[in-house]
């Protein structure tokens, strides 16, 4: 009976997390447009609903009713499954991401995570890397030169920045002596790791921008010279799956920044509930992603690759060395 209850509880948690991740791009699109409008001294969405609040709903209806176009010479099977392959890994990483310790519901203690893996961080990097197959399949199956070129340089970008991103968290692992995200947060109960790992955080955040394909690292799309990159030929709901994936990745990077470097749900000074602290911190980083997008210009491709290999990679390696010396 206990096993049945445990399995049922896990299924409920998976359902809740999946529903939230599917819904969260809806308000984020509205917020991002409003942030863009205020940064650029304009109003943003205003016509559909009060202050454009119903604009994401209108966009959803448009995508649902839009013609599903598939190029004549495309590989139809790969073309159809590519958006799904791109969407599944960002969802799967949340199996190992905690949102808190536990809460009491009707006298029962319910943990705010699906699974506490002792190799949680390794699992997240391994699963998140599978997203690249959706990019490869989408670009190649479209039978379009624009989409193919977009997928090739997107793959080069994602693979290049995964390396310094992986190295940047080694210092955190060394300090926490664990790859469990729960243990990492518990190790920051007194001092957040941003104090000891400012360089590691800088490398992780910059690589996160590139992994999320956000300006100034949005060479994956680059509308001005590649149409829309690897998903040029996609329309309707298949196109929206790629966009949902992009927003989920942005949320994931924000959550990891909070967990790895900013104490997770540990607060300071103001006595707020841990889950409120966690939401506020994640919200700050989501806003930072949006602020950067509408503030900085896009890099050229050679500059993007040079930053990854000549700046972030050496910095991440130096951070590991300095952390090792510090611990010694």
């Amino acid at each position: 009976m206990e096993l049945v209850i445990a399995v049922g509880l896990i299924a409920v948690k998976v359902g809740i997390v999946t529903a939230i991740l599917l819904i969260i791009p809806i308000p984020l699109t509205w917020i991002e447009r409003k942030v863009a409008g205020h940064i650029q001294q304009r109003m943003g969405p205003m016509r559909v609903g009060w202050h454009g609040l119903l604009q994401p709903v209108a966009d959803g209806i448009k995508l649902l009713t839009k013609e599903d176009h598939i190029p004549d010479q495309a590989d139809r099977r790969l073309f159809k499954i590519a958006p799904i392959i791109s969407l599944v890994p960002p969802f799967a990483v949340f199996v190992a991401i905690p949102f808190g310790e536990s809460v009491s519901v009707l006298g029962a203690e319910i943990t705010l995570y699906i699974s506490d893996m002792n190799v949680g961080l390794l699992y997240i990097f391994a699963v998140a890397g599978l997203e690249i197959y959706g990019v490869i399949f989408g670009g190649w199956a479209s039978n379009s030169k624009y989409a193919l070129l977009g997928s090739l340089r997107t793959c080069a970008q994602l693979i290049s920045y995964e390396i310094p991103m992986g190295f940047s968290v080694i210092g955190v692992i060394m300090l926490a002596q664990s790859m469990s995200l729960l243990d990492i947060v518990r190790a920051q109960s007194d001092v957040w790791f941003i104090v000891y790992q400012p360089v590691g955080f800088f490398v992780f955040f910059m690589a996160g921008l590139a992994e999320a394909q956000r300006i100034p690292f949005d060479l994956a799309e680059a509308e001005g010279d590649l149409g829309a990159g690897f998903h040029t030929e996609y329309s309707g709901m298949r196109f929206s799956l790629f966009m949902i994936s992009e927003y989920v990745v942005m949320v994931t990077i924000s959550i990891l920044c909070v967990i790895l470097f900013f104490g997770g749900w540990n607060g300071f000074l103001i006595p707020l509930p841990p889950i409120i602290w966690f939401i506020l911190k994640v919200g700050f980083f989501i806003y930072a992603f949006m602020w950067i997008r509408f503030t900085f210009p896009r890099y050229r491709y050679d500059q993007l690759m040079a930053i990854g290999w000549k700046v972030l990679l050496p910095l991440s390696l130096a951070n590991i060395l300095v952390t090792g010396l510090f611990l010694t």
Side-chain angles (χ1 to χ4, degrees), residues 212-227:
Q213 302 165 30
R214 307 278 297 186
I215 288 178
F217 302 102
D218 72 328
L219 272 295
E221 297 179 19
E223 299 90 346
D225 51 307
L226 280 181

Side-chain angles (χ1 to χ4, degrees), residues 5-35:
I5 295 174
V7 172
L9 185 58
I10 291 174
V12 170
K13 289 180 181 178
V14 170
I16 293 173
V17 171
T18 302
I20 292 173
L21 293 178
L22 286 172
I23 293 171
I24 202 168
I26 296 176
L28 287 182
T29 55
W30 180 82
I31 293 171
E32 185 157 26
R33 290 175 177 181
K34 281 297 185 182
V35 170

Side-chain angles (χ1 to χ4, degrees), residues 56 71 93 98 138 172 176 184-185 210 214 223 259 261 287 319:
V93 300
V172 170
I184 290 173
V185 175
R214 307 278 297 186
E223 299 90 346
I259 289 176
F261 298 98
Y287 173 77
N319 182 65

Side-chain angles (χ1 to χ4, degrees), residues 22-293:
L22 286 172
I23 293 171
I24 202 168
I26 296 176
L28 287 182
T29 55
W30 180 82
I31 293 171
E32 185 157 26
R33 290 175 177 181
K34 281 297 185 182
V35 170
H38 287 290
I39 288 177
Q40 299 168 355
Q41 295 186 345
R42 54 186 178 84
M43 298 300 292
M46 291 292 291
R47 294 183 179 274
V48 187
W50 182 77
H51 276 263
L53 275 172
L54 297 179
Q55 186 63 54
V57 178
D59 291 339
I61 295 172
K62 177 187 71 175
L63 290 169
L64 282 168
T65 57
K66 195 171 185 179
E67 179 185 0
D68 182 23
H69 172 75
I70 300 179
D72 287 339
Q73 301 301 318
D75 186 319
R76 300 181 70 88
R77 182 180 298 177
L78 287 181
F79 189 88
K80 291 178 180 179
I81 68 172
I84 300 173
I85 295 175
S86 182
L87 185 64
V88 169
F91 277 68
V93 300
F94 279 84
V95 170
I97 292 180
F99 301 93
E101 293 281 359
S102 63
V103 293
S104 180
V105 179
L106 300 176
E109 289 292 323
I110 298 179
T111 56
L112 295 178
Y113 49 86
I114 297 174
S115 175
D116 178 21
M117 298 184 184
N118 59 354
V119 290
L121 201 53
L122 183 61
Y123 165 84
I124 289 172
F125 278 97
V127 172
L130 297 176
E131 182 191 1
I132 197 169
Y133 287 102
V135 174
I136 295 171
F137 291 160
W140 184 84
S142 298
N143 193 35
S144 165
K145 293 182 176 64
Y146 288 109
L148 181 60
L149 289 173
S151 69
L152 287 174
R153 72 180 191 177
T154 301
C155 292
Q157 172 180 327
L158 295 180
I159 292 173
S160 297
Y161 278 84
E162 279 179 3
I163 298 172
M165 175 180 269
F167 285 158
S168 67
V169 302
I170 292 178
V172 170
I173 296 171
M174 294 167 69
L175 291 172
Q177 296 293 302
S178 174
M179 285 194 286
S180 165
L181 296 186
L182 274 174
D183 290 342
I184 290 173
V185 175
R186 290 165 182 162
Q188 299 176 74
S189 58
D190 296 324
V191 181
W192 297 354
F193 283 163
I194 183 62
V195 176
Y196 303 120
Q197 294 287 303
V199 175
F201 166 70
F202 172 78
V203 174
F204 184 86
F205 187 70
M206 290 297 105
L209 285 172
E211 289 293 306
Q213 302 165 30
R214 307 278 297 186
I215 288 178
F217 302 102
D218 72 328
L219 272 295
E221 297 179 19
E223 299 90 346
D225 51 307
L226 280 181
F230 62 91
H231 49 65
T232 297
E233 303 296 337
Y234 282 87
S235 61
M237 283 307 297
R238 290 197 176 95
F239 172 80
S240 68
L241 292 180
F242 282 117
M243 294 299 99
I244 291 173
S245 173
E246 180 179 318
Y247 275 102
V248 172
V249 170
M250 179 178 70
V251 173
T252 304
I253 298 298
S254 300
I255 290 174
L256 290 177
C257 285
V258 172
I259 289 176
L260 297 176
F261 298 98
F262 285 85
W265 45 87
N266 293 313
F268 68 100
L269 298 180
I270 305 174
L272 295 175
I275 188 64
I276 300 299
W277 269 115
F278 189 75
I279 292 173
L280 289 175
K281 292 176 186 178
V282 173
F284 169 79
F285 278 103
I286 291 174
Y287 173 77
F289 271 92
M290 297 176 180
W291 170 70
I292 290 171
R293 175 178 180 179

